[in-house]
């Protein structure tokens, strides 16, 4: 089977852990794409199994995604001068996509990491892009700005682990809130060169994976609600990342 240029497929394990006021933890298997924004995969007849479209991410849906990332960074005073941008995300599969988190590693022309962008989506159709500058170990912090879970408000800050992936990806997010124990999530997996054969095998094992991700999120939410976890009011969110 032929190799897909500029892309890796990452078989991942996603874990969430909540300790209070209700203890709840889970792990699910999934897969993600690691792609170069200047070499987004074009899959021909296999296109329905993986599409990468601007409308699914930050910025102007009528402009290329690379343009939108550069525009966002300029608003934060960052200029890549054509440096490489790697994106870890889920593709649109058979017309559907849902990305709880997409990460962009943004490199300057000399190859050094200039910043990372963490784009978060919730199930209400809101999204927000956090622009952070990880240290040499991939660690960064950001104030929470988006209502993600109906059981958490927008208070608190994120401790992020965002090392640049190569053959392995390992992301970590810990939410810290005053007077409450942390909530932790991680995404870990192995990344291998993308081929049409590997894509077909994943598609057969995990058909409509983005829809399955949405279903899992709602299922765990229902379980927590049935266990008495109170729902927090959802504030209006200004979609700054869409401008």
């Amino acid at each position: 089977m032929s190799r897909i240029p500029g892309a890796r497929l990452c078989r991942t394990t996603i874990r969430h852990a909540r300790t209070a006021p209700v203890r709840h933890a889970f792990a699910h298997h999934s897969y993600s794409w690691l792609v170069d924004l200047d070499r987004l995969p074009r899959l021909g007849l296999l296109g329905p199994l993986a599409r990468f479209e601007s409308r699914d991410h930050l910025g102007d849906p009528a402009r290329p995604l690379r343009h939108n990332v550069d525009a966002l960074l300029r608003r934060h005073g960052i200029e890549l001068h054509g440096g490489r941008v790697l994106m870890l995300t889920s593709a649109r599969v058979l017309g559907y996509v849902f990305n709880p988190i997409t990460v962009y590693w943004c490199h300057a022309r000399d190859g050094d990491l200039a910043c990372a962008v963490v784009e978060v989506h919730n199930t209400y159709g809101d999204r927000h892009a956090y622009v952070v500058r990880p240290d040499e170990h991939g660690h960064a912090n950001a104030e929470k700005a988006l209502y993600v879970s109906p059981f958490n408000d927008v208070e608190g800050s994120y401790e992020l682990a965002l090392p640049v992936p190569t053959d392995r990806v390992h992301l970590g997010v810990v939410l810290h809130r005053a007077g409450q124990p942390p909530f932790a999530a991680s995404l870990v997996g192995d990344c291998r060169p993308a081929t049409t054969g590997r894509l077909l095998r994943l598609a057969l094992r995990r058909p409509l994976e983005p829809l399955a991700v949405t279903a899992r999120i709602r299922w765990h939410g229902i379980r927590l609600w049935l266990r008495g976890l109170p729902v927090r009011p959802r504030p209006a969110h200004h979609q700054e990342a869409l401008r």
Side-chain angles (χ1 to χ4, degrees):
M1 293 291 183
S2 61
R3 183 165 177 171
I4 302 170
R8 287 177 172 265
L9 277 165
C10 307
R11 297 179 63 176
T12 60
T13 300
I14 300 164
R15 292 183 171 87
H16 283 215
R18 178 191 300 273
T19 57
V22 173
R23 183 178 293 275
H24 185 70
F26 64 84
H28 289 299
H29 299 298
S30 187
Y31 70 93
S32 297
W33 287 82
L34 182 64
V35 297
D36 186 327
L37 282 195
D38 292 319
R39 303 173 67 196
L40 289 176
R42 297 182 179 182
L43 300 176
L45 293 176
L46 295 182
L49 298 181
R51 292 190 184 279
F52 303 88
E53 301 185 9
S54 295
R55 61 176 168 152
D56 300 327
H57 297 283
L58 58 89
D60 184 347
R63 304 298 295 269
L65 185 51
R66 173 63 198 251
H67 173 276
N68 290 336
V69 171
D70 285 336
L72 172 68
L73 298 187
R74 290 190 191 103
R75 294 200 297 272
H76 288 263
I78 302 170
E79 178 60 67
L80 301 181
H81 300 289
R84 189 184 191 200
V85 178
L86 290 176
M87 175 176 71
L88 183 77
T89 194
S90 294
R92 180 176 285 267
V93 179
L94 299 179
Y96 183 82
V97 68
F98 177 65
N99 268 305
I101 184 171
T102 294
V103 181
Y104 308 82
W105 288 271
C106 307
H107 297 81
R109 186 186 298 171
D110 62 6
D112 289 343
L113 184 69
C115 66
V117 178
V118 181
E119 179 185 359
V120 180
H121 292 228
N122 64 25
T123 55
Y124 304 99
D126 300 323
R127 57 190 178 195
H128 187 83
Y130 299 89
V131 179
V132 298
R133 295 179 184 266
D135 64 18
E136 63 273 19
H137 304 294
H139 297 157
N141 295 279
E143 293 299 313
K144 186 178 182 184
L146 178 67
Y147 180 89
V148 179
S149 165
F151 308 110
N152 292 327
D153 55 25
V154 192
E155 299 299 321
S157 62
Y158 290 120
E159 178 185 350
L160 305 169
L162 306 167
V164 180
T166 51
D167 293 336
R168 188 160 177 81
V169 60
H170 191 157
L171 307 182
V173 179
V174 180
L175 174 61
H176 296 280
R177 296 157 292 171
Q180 300 183 57
F183 168 84
S186 65
L187 182 152
V188 179
D190 294 317
C191 298
R192 301 176 62 187
T195 65
T196 55
R198 193 163 290 132
L199 173 58
L200 285 170
R201 288 192 294 272
L202 285 170
L204 289 172
R205 292 171 186 161
R206 302 190 175 280
L208 282 176
E209 181 63 12
L211 187 61
V213 170
T214 303
R216 290 177 199 132
I217 290 171
R218 297 189 186 281
W219 168 237
H220 286 291
I222 291 170
R223 291 177 63 188
L224 288 168
W225 179 72
L226 290 174
R227 294 174 64 187
L229 196 62
V231 173
R232 304 294 182 183
R234 175 186 167 218
H237 180 68
H238 176 57
Q239 305 279 55
E240 179 182 5
L242 302 182
R243 295 189 314 198

